[in-house]
Amino acid sequence: MEPALIVLTNLPDRATAERLAHALITSRAAACVNILAECSSIYRWQDAVEQANEIPLLIKTTVAAYPCVEQTIRELHPYELPEIVAVPVVAGLPAYLAWVAQETTPNTL
C-alpha cells in the first residue's frame, strides 16, 4: 500500500483555505482536507516577531501524490513562503489508509 502523509499548511482566511482544499480534492492530490478553526500564529519573519490569525489545513495524501500537493499549494497560496510540512503516517486503520491511497490515484476516475 502507498505510504500515507498528513500535510500541514496555514492560510490567511477561510475562502482561500476552501479554494485550496477544493483544488487538492478535484485534482486527486488529496483524499481529504480538514479545514480547522482559525488560530493565532506567532512567528519570526524577516527579523520581526509577527502575529496573524490563520486557518490550518490537514491534508491527507500519499507519498506518490505529495509533489502535486506541494505544487498546488505553491501555486494557490498567497504567502511568499507558505508552510508546507509533510508528516508520515506510521500507523492507522488499514481500510482508511487504503481509501486515502485509492482516492489519490488518478486512474480511479
Side-chain angles (χ1 to χ4, degrees):
M1 183 181 336
E2 180 66 33
L5 296 174
I6 296 177
V7 179
L8 310 169
T9 193
N10 288 293
L11 283 294
D13 58 75
R14 187 159 190 87
T16 305
E18 289 177 0
R19 273 194 305 278
L20 177 57
H22 282 279
L24 290 167
I25 297 301
T26 301
S27 69
R28 299 186 80 86
C32 176
V33 179
N34 298 116
I35 301 172
L36 303 181
E38 184 177 84
C39 68
S40 182
S41 297
I42 301 171
Y43 53 94
R44 183 175 305 278
W45 178 248
Q46 299 178 343
D47 282 333
V49 175
E50 303 282 341
Q51 183 166 354
N53 291 332
E54 297 182 299
I55 306 294
L57 297 185
L58 298 179
I59 302 161
K60 282 55 144 299
T61 190
T62 60
V63 170
Y66 175 80
C68 187
V69 170
E70 182 178 307
Q71 178 183 351
T72 303
I73 294 171
R74 292 169 62 103
E75 288 174 0
L76 298 179
H77 206 295
Y79 293 172
E80 179 182 343
L81 180 63
E83 173 187 8
I84 306 174
V85 177
V87 180
V89 175
V90 297
L93 181 66
Y96 181 81
L97 298 178
W99 173 79
V100 170
Q102 176 186 345
E103 292 303 314
T104 56
T105 303
N107 64 1
T108 60
L109 292 174

